[in-house]
Amino acid sequence: MANSEILSQEHSGGPYYVGIDAGSVSLNCVVINHNKEIVCEFPYKRHLGRVEESTAELVRDLYQRFGEQAIRSISFTGNHGKKLSEKLGTFYEFESISQVLGVRFIMPDVRTIIVLGGQDTALFQIDHAPENWELEYFNTNGPCASGTGSFIDQQAQRLATSLYEDDQDVSQDQIDTILADFIELGLTSDMPANVACRCTVFTKSDMIHLQNKGEKLADIIYGLHVGNAMNYMSTIVSNRRLKEPMVFVGGLSLNSLQVKAFRSYLPELIVPPYNTSTGALGVALRGLELRSEDRVDLVDLARSNVNQVLTVPSAPQLTLKNTLFQSTNQVPNKIFLKKTKAYLGIDIGSTTTKYALVDEEGKIIHKTYVPTQGRPIEVTKNLLECIRHDLGERIEITGTATTGSGRNVVGDFLNADLIIDEITAHAKGAVAIDREVDSIFEIGGQDSKYIHIANTYPLDFDMNKVCAAGTGSFLHELANKYGINIVGEFQEIALSAKRPVKLAERCTVFMESDLVSYDQLGLPLEDLIGGLCYAIVHNYLNRVVGERKIGQRVMLLGGPSLNKGVVAAFENVLGKGLIVPRHREVLGAYGAALSVQERMRLKTIGKSTFRGLAGAIEDEMNYREKTCQVDPHCHNQCKLKIYDFDGRRSTWGGECGRYEHTRKGTSQKENLFKVRQKLWERYMAGVFEELTEEPLMEINGRPTVGMQRALYGHQNAITWAHFFDHLGFRLVLTPPTNTRISRVGIESVAAETCYPLKISHGHIKELIGKTTYLFLPSMIDMTTAEQSEVGSYCPMVQTNAYTARMALGIDKSALLSPVIHGKYDPDTRAMEIAEQIGSKLGVTRSAIQKALYCGLERQHEFIEALQKIGHTLVAEQNRDEPLVVVTGRPYNLYDERLNLRLGQNLAKINLMALPMDFIDVDSVDLEDFSFMYWGLGAQILRTAQFIKRHPHCFGLHLTNFSCGPDSFVEHFYKFILGEKPYLILELDEHSAVAGAMTRLEAYKNVIENTMQGYQSSVQEKVSVGD
Amino acid sequence: MTTKNVISFPSGGNKSHLRDKTLLIPEMNRTGAHLLAATFRSFGVRARVMDTYKGLDLGKEYTSGKECYPCQVTMGDILHCIEKEREDLGDSFNPTDYIYFMPEAEGPCRFGMYNKYQRIVLDSFPGLEELQILSPTNSDAYSLGDLLAKHQEQDFRKAAYFSMVVTDILDRLLWRIRPYEREPGMTDAYLERSRRSVAHTFEIYGRRKLFAKIMDKLEEILEEAQSIVDPTIAPKPVVGIVGEIYLRMHDHANQDLVRVLEKYGAEVVNASLCEWVNYVSYDGLRQAKREFVLNLKQLRLEPMKASLRKMIGFGGDLLYKEWRQRKVYRRVRGLIDIPEDHKISHLEHSLKESDLFSFDLRTEACLSIASVFEFARGGYNGIVNVYPFTCMPSMTTSAVVKPFLRTLRMPYLDVPCDSTIQPGREAAIRTFMYQAQQHFNQ
């Protein structure tokens, strides 16, 4: 602390009032005198978890500098301040209030305070009445967005391996240096990559995908900061108007890249003096105001916490009884007497890339794994160099396969013989090791998987939804944070825990928050780490496995499987031992190698197309970057990387999956989503206009009526287009959701809702002031198959008109906002509509009645036309070929932003997929689920019954994160399908095609295996009959 | 979890053979659950309140975590209760000896799905498919099947409603006096004592509807309240709580929200239990009226008759409830100054006046938004909206009232809850109370 800065040499001799902000990351301190003059500000200092030691050091320094007697009080604020103040019996104030008091002292006329600290973010708005100021509004980060400051640190540390060419110390002590280099590199970018930041777990996986796509590191770093600012603007500021002067304080205000990112939203943002000490200043001022005499006894501070008895929920001690760990994981050093044929499998994962080389007997003869570093091509080249170096001329690679999230780019580069998804690859590898295995648990760096195997084939699988993402890399990050070596030391600490604490298990962000809370309570480290092992296990079992079957022989894979603490927790929870196999770290690569070997053997692949070791290592792979401009209406601005693989152009990086080309020789199925769209356009022809930038108040003498292409807009726009056409108006629909609409929606929504609702806000905002009328009905219910059904929409859809009106401040004069019961018969519905908007539009009830009949008829014709196509398809489909039936809410299914071009992607992998609209399920009995009071829920469940009854039909349900009704509908959907495999895709603004594609490809594989099972059982029956 | 054992959903449909079984009641509101159980007992039903929150781990295990939190908590409550019974009774444990009480609704919020999903989970345990769920629903006039003799049902409903009014009174009493108690802990001890003695009176007098006797007891309790209050403590800022009913009532699930608010200087008024119960009747009446008018305009006679019957049913029910509630409050307010519930029609009128929302859209959002408007008008100093994480009606409330309260400069706080401890929560409540104090000072 020798470098503390005395700011005012002229200060009187005391008494002094000290404020210490003991935050989650740093310790900040300010000294003021009784005249409220700032005497001293200590520089921002990380405490690296050693809060008490750092505080003691600070207090000693203060006493030395100012004299113990001259210091009247030491008050605390900040996350760790509470515990300190309780221990020392001194004054404490929450940092929110301290920050406001501190900033107001420095800048009395401040109106807006933006705080981004280690783990907390906040917004404060100050109002100034003539005499008094008032804290008009505050908002802090909810549990889903916590940790922004620490998160940037984590990312800097994580990217440090990519940042530095050579080995660099990336420990916590070096974080300031790493961060400085990280920021410096980010500042060189002027093209931030698109990084979604709703949840920090997403951010991380987004960045990994970007790295895999080959985005420039500088652009990713800048993108992360812009994403962080955007997340703040959408979740914390929401649609509030910020007044000036506005200031930015807290630890992240030292980060010039973060300041730059914020200024793109708020050009007038000021970083004031004392920007990291305003909390400390505020609490010092409170101490002075209260004239508190809170002296700190250093002896008290040194007093140990050991005697404190804390009662917190805990889990049983971790013991490892039934799982065998292999003593060696090495490949035996084999001497090759003659040139040996070998098959190469490469698994390009988000965090690591690994390969396995197998001989003709399927035995591993060589393996290695290295960090991917976001550079899949370069890393693959290095790995191949490693093979050449170790085995050289002694082997001949006669087949190659790639798997993992980078499988396409690397597969294309290598001219691989086979590109397979990682689920299929892992299952193949696992079965080769243990033919009896029936369940595979894999906890990877980013993604986790569950695979159910029957008769050596994967029959069912699931990957983590958002809340179980990143658990593997999270363990690493946390170990780094606590200065624990993840190899060895971590498990020793975990296994020594007497009372492992029960931590939240919903996602890693929650685990970390809980861990921080318990750490603040002073719980022993081993109990925290032991608890963490349990939390990882519960998170995996609850979020990934869920209701799926856990078999008799469970194989555990992924980084955490090396950790005896985590394995012990699995044992304790499941009550049985697990298989932790050899070569688990390269199992996917091993499986890929075995798959290509098998196909070569079965001659489904001819001569290997592999470009050869020498070629792959030595050929220069040039690429150029450009922004995609294929679709003039698309606002995604995707940055493309166009590789030149031997004069063959290979484009990567399109958000929409447009460039994820299919390999030569594979056929494509028809995209029925597109068929639906074309048909829809036919029924809409001439009765609607698409909104442009310019207002459309009148078209051909007809006043216009604006309607959102979101929510019910996807379901019954045809009805309303014809309805208004009949009445002499023209319907204007917003364009399909684009990046801008999505962003505007996210930023303007007033509460944390589901993605479709946010998008709806974006669409509605587009319409404001651009049409004569704005049609924003409250859709209560819908037509049902049975009269006894309720047919409700979900409350968020029902109340959309009111929430949007409040959030967007819509003027009521142009608003048509009737309450509509779709379940009423048309006459009653017409009466209902006429009562509410008839006079405003100047039309009679009978005109409305006729118009409604006309609209409903056209809608009915459209549905009939769809179902006719569907009926023919189902009838004519070869029973040996699968048909995927896609369920979901229309606003998820038919919005390409929300469904990530699902139709196109399914067609591309040669799967016939039928959206649920194509099937007439009205006559299907809901059986046990007749209570289903949500109309769309009932349609989904009816379709599930249909899928269940048709052996060659398979279910894919598309949903979005935080969909209320689907949290129950999914249970019932799974229940109906029973043993039949299904896929639930949960998507939202975290729109990465890569993750969705892996799931789709693996699901395709599961379907194929199931179909093969059908066929073999038929054959068996036939042979029995013979 | 395997779900092979599900054949049908007995809940809702089959309500026979309920006699002589133990009725297991989940504890939402501590007072309310015990008074309801006592009322059931006075009618000869072996009713018991289940321990709550002790089976949360089981609840988490058998839910995906995406359903609303009360579904997870109650799932845990019933599984824990059964597990304990099995342990205690050993071989003599028989799942058919129990009935699990879980009311239902017809949407559009998720509450009505709890019993269906919980049925699937119970069925996945061998033997528990025999454990019946009793789900009174408005579709069959809240029938309790053969749990009670037909002639007793009406009396039971009256006594049960009375127990809810008394629950509200005791809750309001707690919130009114605890911030001003002479010594910490006095109110809680007094209330726990009172809860037991009132439950006892319900057990004795409930069946005979000797409500006057229960009122005497209540009066006796209220008189004692004076001795707990320290008159020298200055009035505090008043904070109104709205939101989802389970989270408003369940102290464990809301992580002791009321107490934390009080710790930082608030006096709290939480929306009542009866408000929701009255609303259900009011909404039924309102819908029946609307159907009647639409049918009348089209001269459809048969449907008109059906709506008229519904109007009479719901209307009578509502009239009785409002009359009973008013009568109790009139007597109680003579002794202690606690706020009275607004009539639901008044709330609808306020909502119309505020132009914020409409009763046509139903759900708790109607009540919450109308109450926020009333609180703002009634000089409250801050409003808290507490709800299960991702609760749809409460998110609607939040989206509607936030922009509205901003214009009034009224402090407002969203408190979404699940099983995690949120590190920033106490700071948020403290900051909110700082605002409420500033509002109060002005």
Side-chain angles (χ1 to χ4, degrees):
Chain A
M1 282 285 168
N3 58 344
S4 67
E5 202 177 331
I6 302 295
L7 293 169
S8 164
Q9 297 294 345
E10 303 288 313
H11 62 82
S12 56
Y16 298 114
Y17 296 83
V18 177
I20 295 179
D21 181 351
S24 43
V25 168
S26 67
L27 209 58
N28 296 286
C29 173
V30 163
V31 182
I32 59 170
N33 65 20
H34 62 281
N35 292 326
K36 290 194 178 176
E37 289 162 335
I38 300 173
V39 175
C40 172
E41 180 202 20
F42 284 71
Y44 178 88
K45 189 176 184 236
R46 288 171 187 272
H47 54 59
L48 306 176
R50 295 184 293 272
V51 185
E52 296 204 353
E53 294 94 310
S54 308
T55 309
E57 201 183 313
L58 174 64
V59 173
R60 256 194 302 278
D61 192 27
L62 281 167
Y63 286 170
Q64 207 175 9
R65 221 166 256 282
F66 298 95
E68 191 169 344
Q69 290 313 310
I71 293 178
R72 177 74 49 90
S73 79
I74 299 182
S75 311
F76 288 90
T77 186
N79 278 339
H80 287 285
K82 192 147 198 264
K83 203 180 88 196
L84 284 168
S85 72
E86 278 163 11
K87 184 170 178 178
L88 301 168
T90 63
F91 177 71
Y92 173 80
E93 182 57 273
F94 282 95
E95 61 272 32
S96 47
I97 293 163
S98 311
Q99 293 280 15
V100 172
L101 297 175
V103 174
R104 274 207 72 257
F105 181 77
I106 297 163
M107 196 183 272
D109 61 342
V110 68
R111 300 296 301 268
T112 303
I113 306 170
I114 290 172
V115 189
L116 271 85
Q119 290 201 329
D120 302 297
T121 60
L123 167 71
F124 301 100
Q125 287 184 286
I126 313 286
D127 199 22
H128 296 268
E131 289 174 12
N132 266 322
W133 68 276
E134 188 181 89
L135 175 57
E136 183 195 356
Y137 175 81
F138 78 96
N139 193 10
T140 52
N141 54 324
C144 269
S146 5
T148 42
S150 311
F151 180 67
I152 297 274
D153 290 351
Q154 274 178 7
Q155 294 319 306
Q157 269 177 307
R158 209 178 57 76
L159 290 182
T161 44
S162 312
L163 201 59
Y164 301 113
E165 290 295 322
D166 48 350
D167 282 346
Q168 182 96 7
D169 181 3
V170 293
S171 63
Q172 192 74 17
D173 302 340
Q174 296 303 312
I175 182 68
D176 283 323
T177 319
I178 297 168
L179 200 58
D181 294 339
F182 181 73
I183 293 167
E184 196 183 304
L185 180 60
L187 283 168
T188 63
S189 162
D190 47 14
M191 207 167 149
N194 199 359
V195 182
C197 280
R198 176 170 66 73
C199 157
T200 53
V201 179
F202 284 160
T203 316
K204 206 161 60 181
S205 38
D206 246 26
M207 287 172 46
I208 289 165
H209 283 305
L210 287 168
Q211 273 185 290
N212 284 351
K213 274 183 5 187
E215 282 276 352
K216 273 201 261 168
L217 204 54
D219 293 347
I220 298 177
I221 296 172
Y222 187 29
L224 167 74
H225 288 79
V226 170
N228 215 22
M230 179 182 164
N231 180 55
Y232 183 92
M233 295 306 289
S234 65
T235 61
I236 308 286
V237 176
S238 193
N239 57 352
R240 295 186 69 86
R241 208 168 65 80
L242 302 183
K243 292 179 187 157
E244 291 167 25
M246 55 179 94
V247 301
F248 178 18
V249 297
L252 264 179
S253 68
L254 292 172
N255 177 333
S256 45
L257 191 56
Q258 192 62 70
V259 176
K260 178 181 164 187
F262 262 113
R263 283 194 178 136
S264 63
Y265 286 93
L266 309 165
E268 306 303 324
L269 190 67
I270 299 165
V271 178
Y274 308 106
N275 54 328
T276 57
S277 310
T278 44
L281 173 60
V283 81
L285 289 164
R286 282 285 281 161
L288 169 64
E289 203 177 289
L290 297 167
R291 299 272 159 202
S292 61
E293 295 223 8
D294 286 331
R295 293 173 200 280
V296 167
D297 189 340
L298 281 166
V299 179
D300 278 350
L301 196 52
R303 200 180 67 219
S304 156
N305 294 322
V306 174
N307 295 332
Q308 286 181 4
V309 181
L310 286 166
T311 48
V312 293
S314 65
Q317 207 168 341
L318 290 163
T319 49
L320 195 61
K321 286 182 206 144
N322 302 316
T323 305
L324 265 183
F325 277 81
Q326 306 283 339
S327 56
T328 173
N329 197 27
Q330 301 295 316
V331 175
N333 199 359
K334 197 175 164 186
I335 297 163
F336 301 100
L337 296 173
K338 55 177 186 176
K339 194 153 189 163
T340 304
K341 283 187 174 177
Y343 301 88
L344 174 67
I346 309 181
D347 179 355
I348 308 94
S350 52
T351 34
T352 56
T353 295
K354 43 260 161 185
Y355 73 78
L357 204 57
V358 303
D359 60 17
E360 290 210 274
E361 287 164 21
K363 290 214 171 68
I364 296 188
I365 52 177
H366 207 261
K367 65 173 184 179
T368 297
Y369 90 108
V370 291
T372 304
Q373 299 179 341
R375 296 182 298 199
I377 301 285
E378 291 83 342
V379 166
T380 302
K381 280 166 161 269
N382 293 345
L383 282 176
L384 295 176
E385 176 63 57
C386 178
I387 296 178
R388 185 162 72 171
H389 175 267
D390 288 2
L391 302 173
E393 297 301 312
R394 286 170 290 163
I395 54 143
E396 180 196 351
I397 295 178
T398 47
T400 51
T402 56
T403 185
S405 57
R407 62 187 178 277
N408 283 316
V409 67
V410 176
D412 202 21
F413 160 59
L414 294 178
N415 288 339
D417 299 300
L418 180 67
I419 298 178
I420 57 170
D421 66 273
E422 53 265 45
I423 289 168
T424 310
H426 276 91
K428 187 88 192 161
V431 168
I433 287 173
D434 185 329
R435 278 190 74 80
E436 301 296 310
V437 71
D438 56 10
S439 311
I440 302 175
F441 293 177
E442 193 208 355
I443 304 181
Q446 271 310 293
D447 291 323
S448 292
K449 298 179 202 74
Y450 154 84
I451 309 173
H452 167 58
I453 295 180
N455 301 324
T456 72
Y457 286 104
L459 256 203
D460 189 15
F461 76 96
D462 210 346
M463 288 172 74
N464 57 283
K465 312 285 185 308
V466 294
C467 294
T471 40
S473 54
F474 169 68
L475 274 182
H476 269 267
E477 280 154 14
L478 216 77
N480 276 350
K481 188 170 164 182
Y482 283 87
I484 301 168
N485 188 344
I486 189 80
V487 184
E489 194 187 359
F490 189 95
Q491 64 192 24
E492 279 164 31
I493 294 176
L495 291 171
S496 72
K498 300 249 171 352
R499 296 161 55 83
V501 290
K502 283 197 180 175
L503 298 173
E505 46 79 30
R506 184 127 70 109
C507 77
T508 57
V509 179
F510 286 2
M511 284 179 211
E512 187 166 5
S513 295
D514 251 19
L515 208 65
V516 169
S517 304
Y518 283 128
D519 189 25
Q520 284 167 19
L521 288 174
L523 257 75
L525 182 66
E526 59 271 22
D527 288 351
L528 298 179
I529 299 297
L532 190 62
C533 293
Y534 273 111
I536 297 278
V537 168
H538 285 297
N539 172 275
Y540 179 81
L541 293 176
N542 291 341
R543 313 282 155 232
V544 183
V545 180
E547 295 155 26
R548 290 168 196 257
K549 243 190 231 162
I550 296 176
Q552 295 308 310
R553 284 183 80 76
V554 180
M555 186 180 278
L556 182 62
L557 305 174
S561 70
L562 299 165
N563 186 319
K564 288 185 179 161
V566 175
V567 178
F570 262 115
E571 257 196 26
N572 290 9
V573 173
L574 296 177
K576 60 179 139 206
L578 293 96
I579 305 165
V580 182
R582 286 175 66 196
H583 310 310
R584 56 190 171 277
E585 77 286 7
V586 298
L587 202 76
Y590 177 46
L594 291 176
S595 298
V596 72
Q597 184 224 24
E598 188 180 270
R599 301 227 185 162
M600 296 299 233
R601 193 160 40 84
L602 295 174
K603 307 240 185 304
T604 52
I605 299 176
K607 193 176 174 308
S608 175
T609 51
F610 178 47
R611 76 160 53 228
L613 274 182
I617 295 164
E618 284 149 24
D619 293 353
E620 280 295 312
M621 286 303 138
N622 295 322
Y623 64 86
R624 63 192 171 86
E625 289 180 307
K626 69 174 271 197
T627 304
C628 176
Q629 286 163 341
V630 175
D631 180 356
H633 300 295
C634 177
H635 294 262
N636 283 348
Q637 301 278 309
C638 286
K639 273 158 279 177
L640 306 174
K641 210 169 194 178
I642 304 166
Y643 278 97
D644 180 1
F645 293 144
D646 312 321
R648 191 160 38 85
R649 236 169 68 128
S650 188
T651 307
W652 302 97
E655 282 264 324
C656 61
R658 185 188 298 272
Y659 300 102
E660 305 263 327
H661 63 150
T662 43
R663 306 218 359 126
K664 269 180 249 157
T666 49
S667 53
Q668 280 202 25
K669 288 278 191 271
E670 192 175 14
N671 176 1
L672 289 162
F673 287 74
K674 204 168 167 186
V675 171
R676 183 192 186 273
Q677 177 61 23
K678 291 268 175 243
L679 196 66
W680 181 88
E681 281 163 13
R682 222 168 69 205
Y683 279 84
M684 289 291 279
V687 289
F688 92 108
E689 281 293 322
E690 188 168 298
L691 187 71
T692 55
E693 296 295 322
E694 298 305 313
L696 286 170
M697 306 311 274
E698 218 179 75
I699 296 168
N700 299 333
R702 287 164 173 255
T704 54
V705 179
M707 181 170 159
Q708 55 177 331
R709 197 188 296 232
L711 303 182
Y712 44 80
H714 286 283
Q715 196 180 356
N716 48 31
I718 295 174
T719 308
W720 299 115
H722 288 277
F723 172 83
F724 284 114
D725 179 65
H726 213 82
L727 291 173
F729 298 86
R730 179 62 66 235
L731 190 81
V732 174
L733 269 184
T734 44
T737 311
N738 54 41
T739 310
R740 192 189 63 224
I741 291 178
S742 164
R743 180 177 47 78
V744 169
I746 292 168
E747 284 175 6
S748 54
V749 76
E752 188 53 33
T753 64
C754 58
Y755 190 38
L757 240 290
K758 291 177 185 169
I759 279 189
S760 151
H761 278 57
H763 280 272
I764 296 168
K765 196 164 182 183
E766 289 282 301
L767 285 166
I768 296 175
K770 287 194 182 161
T771 51
T772 314
Y773 296 103
L774 175 56
F775 183 55
L776 209 51
S778 294
M779 304 296 287
I780 304 297
D781 49 29
M782 54 192 274
T783 321
T784 55
E786 297 284 336
Q787 188 53 32
S788 58
E789 287 169 43
V790 179
S792 277
Y793 281 99
C794 94
M796 303 311 295
V797 173
Q798 290 180 332
T799 61
N800 169 248
Y802 285 86
T803 51
R805 213 184 89 198
M806 292 306 287
L808 304 171
I810 300 170
D811 171 29
K812 277 181 80 179
S813 62
L815 196 62
L816 302 175
S817 196
V819 172
I820 298 177
H821 292 82
K823 198 169 181 297
Y824 286 169
D825 61 86
D827 291 341
T828 312
R829 214 184 314 169
M831 184 191 297
E832 176 180 53
I833 296 168
E835 276 175 7
Q836 298 175 80
I837 59 170
S839 62
K840 196 162 190 171
L841 291 177
V843 289
T844 62
R845 179 174 140 193
S846 69
I848 283 183
Q849 196 174 23
K850 277 184 200 142
L852 186 64
Y853 267 103
C854 167
L856 290 172
E857 205 178 303
R858 296 297 286 161
Q859 181 84 37
H860 184 69
E861 285 166 15
F862 167 66
I863 296 288
E864 264 191 349
L866 278 180
Q867 290 176 350
K868 200 173 154 198
I869 298 172
H871 183 78
T872 315
L873 257 167
V874 175
E876 290 177 0
Q877 173 89 353
N878 181 349
R879 290 295 187 267
D880 295 340
E881 267 194 54
L883 180 65
V884 174
V885 178
V886 189
T887 51
R889 285 144 218 290
Y891 43 84
N892 279 326
L893 281 186
Y894 307 121
D895 185 324
E896 290 208 324
R897 175 89 194 169
L898 276 145
N899 75 17
L900 300 179
R901 295 182 178 240
L902 183 64
Q904 184 188 312
N905 290 328
L906 282 164
K908 218 182 253 181
I909 60 168
N910 207 22
L911 264 184
M912 194 63 165
L914 199 60
M916 60 190 279
D917 273 12
F918 283 85
I919 303 173
D920 178 8
V921 288
D922 276 3
S923 57
V924 174
D925 186 2
L926 267 175
E927 294 181 6
D928 287 341
F929 299 94
S930 57
F931 56 79
M932 177 45 67
Y933 47 69
W934 293 303
L936 295 171
Q939 286 182 356
I940 291 165
L941 295 185
R942 280 200 161 85
T943 312
Q945 302 273 22
F946 176 90
I947 297 167
K948 171 80 176 169
R949 288 171 201 173
H950 291 76
H952 71 299
C953 289
F954 292 87
L956 193 172
H957 182 60
L958 182 71
T959 182
N960 59 270
F961 180 72
S962 84
C963 172
D966 271 0
S967 65
F968 282 94
V969 171
E970 277 175 24
H971 287 301
F972 305 144
Y973 179 87
K974 293 173 190 174
F975 179 77
I976 291 173
L977 291 180
E979 303 280 313
K980 201 164 181 174
Y982 56 82
L983 176 66
I984 292 182
L985 263 188
E986 191 178 276
L987 303 174
D988 59 12
E989 59 256 55
H990 164 60
S991 52
V993 179
M997 281 313 284
T998 302
R999 289 164 165 85
L1000 295 179
E1001 283 176 36
Y1003 186 47
K1004 185 189 173 200
N1005 205 281
V1006 169
I1007 291 175
E1008 282 167 1
N1009 291 334
T1010 311
M1011 298 287 286
Q1012 272 168 19
Y1014 291 162
Q1015 281 157 11
S1016 53
S1017 72
V1018 170
Q1019 278 161 8
E1020 262 170 45
K1021 275 181 199 158
V1022 171
S1023 59
V1024 169
D1026 288 346
Chain B
M1 175 183 127
T2 61
T3 42
K4 286 185 193 135
N5 300 312
V6 183
I7 305 152
S8 62
F9 290 90
S11 69
N14 183 3
K15 285 186 181 173
S16 57
H17 313 296
L18 302 179
R19 289 275 174 95
D20 306 321
K21 297 189 181 197
T22 302
L23 184 67
L24 301 172
I25 299 176
E27 184 182 300
M28 173 173 81
N29 177 306
R30 185 160 166 72
T31 307
H34 285 275
L35 296 193
L36 182 66
T39 311
F40 265 118
R41 286 196 296 271
S42 80
F43 281 80
V45 177
R46 226 169 34 220
R48 214 170 81 190
V49 179
M50 292 185 285
D51 277 345
T52 190
Y53 225 62
K54 293 190 176 156
L56 191 60
D57 283 346
L58 282 167
K60 285 199 245 175
E61 195 178 333
Y62 288 94
T63 52
S64 67
K66 293 191 291 185
E67 312 86 351
C68 27
Y69 189 36
C71 181
Q72 203 172 50
V73 179
T74 49
M75 183 84 257
D77 288 351
I78 179 67
L79 291 177
H80 173 75
C81 174
I82 293 299
E83 196 176 80
K84 237 176 127 253
E85 288 293 291
R86 212 191 279 268
E87 255 173 50
D88 293 349
L89 299 175
D91 288 345
S92 58
F93 169 79
N94 181 356
T96 60
D97 290 345
Y98 304 89
I99 320 167
Y100 169 42
F101 184 75
M102 174 51 71
E104 70 174 7
E106 287 198 338
C109 102
R110 293 181 284 180
F111 169 59
M113 291 294 159
Y114 294 7
N115 62 347
K116 316 306 189 298
Y117 176 60
Q118 293 182 348
R119 178 76 264 162
I120 290 185
V121 175
L122 289 175
D123 286 356
S124 72
F125 291 88
L128 293 194
E129 63 271 37
E130 304 292 330
L131 188 148
Q132 276 185 277
I133 302 181
L134 176 63
S135 297
T137 165
N138 60 3
S139 62
D140 63 357
Y142 294 100
S143 158
L144 297 171
D146 66 356
L147 190 65
L148 298 173
K150 273 283 157 257
H151 70 275
Q152 286 185 320
E153 276 204 1
Q154 197 62 16
D155 285 351
F156 172 77
R157 272 203 280 276
K158 286 180 177 170
Y161 182 74
F162 186 67
S163 79
M164 292 180 211
V165 181
V166 173
T167 299
D168 283 342
I169 300 286
L170 289 176
D171 278 345
R172 298 223 145 143
L173 175 68
L174 169 77
W175 304 322
R176 183 74 185 90
I177 64 175
R178 192 165 58 188
Y180 306 99
E181 64 190 355
R182 286 174 195 275
E183 283 167 34
M186 276 179 97
T187 319
D188 287 330
Y190 151 76
L191 246 297
E192 195 56 45
R193 230 169 33 235
S194 311
R195 196 175 282 142
R196 275 198 299 273
S197 58
V198 173
H200 185 63
T201 56
F202 268 93
E203 210 160 332
I204 299 171
Y205 305 118
R207 189 174 60 83
R208 286 177 286 158
K209 289 193 295 167
L210 294 173
F211 298 154
K213 296 272 189 196
I214 300 172
M215 280 310 294
D216 291 345
K217 183 74 210 172
L218 191 61
E219 205 167 284
E220 202 180 290
I221 289 168
L222 292 171
E223 271 159 11
E224 196 190 330
Q226 302 300 337
S227 63
I228 290 171
V229 174
D230 176 355
T232 65
I233 298 175
K236 299 183 172 188
V238 183
V239 170
I241 299 182
V242 297
E244 192 275 334
I245 190 164
Y246 191 93
L247 264 296
R248 282 195 286 105
M249 301 278 164
H250 197 285
D251 291 338
H252 293 288
N254 68 30
Q255 295 173 27
D256 247 334
L257 174 68
V258 173
R259 211 182 285 271
V260 180
L261 282 165
E262 285 173 0
K263 177 178 165 190
Y264 292 108
E267 181 190 330
V268 162
V269 176
N270 193 343
S272 73
L273 192 61
C274 287
E275 185 186 67
W276 173 250
V277 179
N278 293 2
Y279 168 75
V280 172
S281 306
Y282 182 85
D283 183 54
L285 174 63
R286 193 177 180 282
Q287 290 202 63
K289 268 189 195 165
R290 171 138 189 85
E291 279 167 25
F292 180 79
V293 172
L294 288 168
N295 287 320
L296 178 70
K297 284 186 179 166
Q298 298 172 88
L299 292 173
R300 295 170 170 179
L301 276 181
E302 277 313 308
M304 266 168 69
K305 274 191 217 160
S307 357
L308 196 63
R309 271 194 298 275
K310 277 195 220 164
M311 277 166 67
I312 293 167
F314 285 117
D317 196 35
L318 181 67
L319 266 178
Y320 173 78
K321 285 174 179 166
E322 287 180 343
W323 168 78
R324 172 58 67 194
Q325 195 187 22
R326 207 166 44 243
K327 204 169 155 187
V328 174
Y329 272 87
R330 200 175 298 150
R331 188 150 158 204
V332 167
R333 276 163 59 89
L335 294 165
I336 185 151
D337 163 33
I338 54 168
E340 194 168 0
D341 268 1
H342 291 291
K343 280 173 77 165
I344 308 297
S345 55
H346 174 86
L347 291 179
E348 180 173 12
H349 186 75
S350 300
L351 205 55
K352 234 180 237 163
E353 190 190 331
S354 73
D355 192 28
L356 291 172
F357 202 66
S358 161
F359 261 51
D360 289 333
L361 302 172
R362 309 175 61 209
T363 78
E364 273 178 316
C366 297
L367 295 176
S368 292
I369 298 170
S371 298
V372 166
F373 185 69
E374 283 296 334
F375 285 152
R377 190 150 68 171
Y380 281 52
N381 306 106
I383 286 154
V384 171
N385 180 17
V386 60
Y387 54 91
F389 200 65
T390 71
C391 166
M392 298 180 284
S394 301
M395 289 197 303
T396 300
T397 302
S398 172
V400 170
V401 304
K402 255 196 256 177
F404 164 69
L405 290 174
R406 193 185 311 159
T407 60
L408 299 182
R409 291 161 56 167
M410 167 79 116
Y412 171 83
L413 186 69
D414 274 329
V415 181
C417 296
D418 59 15
S419 58
T420 56
I421 308 169
Q422 292 156 25
R425 205 178 107 143
E426 197 169 346
I429 293 179
R430 161 72 182 121
T431 315
F432 164 77
M433 282 311 301
Y434 190 86
Q435 288 181 299
Q437 189 68 50
Q438 281 187 328
H439 189 273
F440 179 73
N441 293 344
Q442 283 166 18

